[in-house]
Amino acid sequence: MTASKRPGTVPYIASWSGEKRCTGAVVEDRRSPGRIAYRDERPDDRDEYGVLWARADSRPTRGRPQYGLVHPRRQRHAMRNLRCQVCDGPADTDERGTLWLLGDDRGDWPGWPEEMAATTPPLCLPCARLSVRLCPHLRGRHIAVRVRNPEIAGVYGALYLPRPDRARPTAATDTTIAYTDPAVRRVLAAQQVMRLRGCTLIDLPG
């Protein structure tokens, strides 16, 4: 997550201490074997791909900002609509694509960050400029990227394993899983994953 747009403000996708995580009981879905569900499931608990999402109150500015804890619904909104993760305005886009800021991991594979699975949404230009000055994760080791073909590809969340006694499933690990992977039916999603395609490294305009 990047730094806030200006002193005294908080990134749009950040959680607040007054926003309770209100996840219900996760159970085996009797209507769709092999899938997890909430015991008291509501129509808005799943995304358009049928994946179950973590619940959280939406009360921005209530309490204290929790910069390291991403709000599931706001992160998903920013990804789906290419909104700035800091101010919720339109992400900056030109003929080369939409603007992302990433930590400098160019040694990870040839052609990085092409095909990268990203959980951080894009940014507008003013928020990107401020973020590289204020965000400890980005300061001094950031890469600005234009992405021509970002593609929603999966989710990051808790993978629930079935139990032989058919009791409530157990959360095993946090993982990134593609929507095309059958195991996604057993994930309680917390963040949406975007695959970055058509990437061009750029110098961030001053």
Side-chain angles (χ1 to χ4, degrees):
M1 183 185 307
T2 61
S4 57
K5 187 173 182 180
R6 60 183 185 277
T9 65
V10 177
Y12 169 73
I13 65 171
S15 290
W16 293 76
S17 60
E19 295 179 314
K20 294 181 180 179
R21 296 292 170 122
C22 47
T23 297
V26 176
V27 298
E28 296 291 341
D29 191 343
R30 294 182 179 179
R31 298 169 302 175
S32 183
R35 187 174 79 164
I36 59 170
Y38 285 129
R39 181 170 291 159
D40 61 341
E41 191 166 316
R42 303 187 294 253
D44 64 347
D45 283 328
R46 295 185 184 273
D47 63 21
E48 64 269 38
Y49 301 95
V51 174
L52 193 66
W53 276 75
R55 292 173 175 171
D57 287 341
S58 184
R59 298 179 179 179
T61 74
R62 181 75 60 89
R64 300 179 306 279
Q66 299 179 305
Y67 294 98
L69 186 61
V70 173
H71 191 277
R73 191 174 295 274
R74 292 197 291 272
Q75 188 268 357
R76 194 169 97 197
H77 164 80
M79 283 294 213
R80 290 176 63 186
N81 299 286
L82 295 181
R83 307 291 290 185
C84 175
Q85 61 170 289
V86 176
C87 69
D88 190 32
D92 192 80
T93 302
D94 65 14
E95 67 279 0
R96 295 167 296 178
T98 302
L99 177 64
W100 255 267
L101 282 182
L102 306 171
D104 188 352
D105 295 317
R106 281 177 285 186
D108 281 3
W109 65 83
W112 180 95
E114 191 70 25
E115 297 292 330
M116 178 178 177
T119 56
T120 55
L123 295 106
C124 69
L125 194 53
C127 289
R129 290 176 180 138
L130 191 59
S131 294
V132 299
R133 298 200 304 269
L134 299 183
C135 178
H137 176 68
L138 295 174
R139 191 184 304 130
R141 59 176 305 273
H142 68 275
I143 295 291
V145 182
R146 292 285 184 184
V147 182
R148 187 182 299 277
N149 298 307
E151 177 184 90
I152 292 174
V155 293
Y156 172 82
L159 176 65
Y160 278 73
L161 299 181
R163 291 172 55 177
D165 57 5
R166 297 186 180 181
R168 287 176 54 185
T170 303
T173 185
D174 288 338
T175 187
T176 297
I177 294 188
Y179 279 120
T180 55
D181 188 330
V184 78
R185 290 163 50 84
R186 304 199 62 85
V187 172
L188 182 64
Q191 298 181 50
Q192 199 149 62
V193 174
M194 188 80 80
R195 191 175 305 282
L196 307 185
R197 288 176 167 164
C199 298
T200 302
L201 305 187
I202 65 167
D203 293 325
L204 191 66

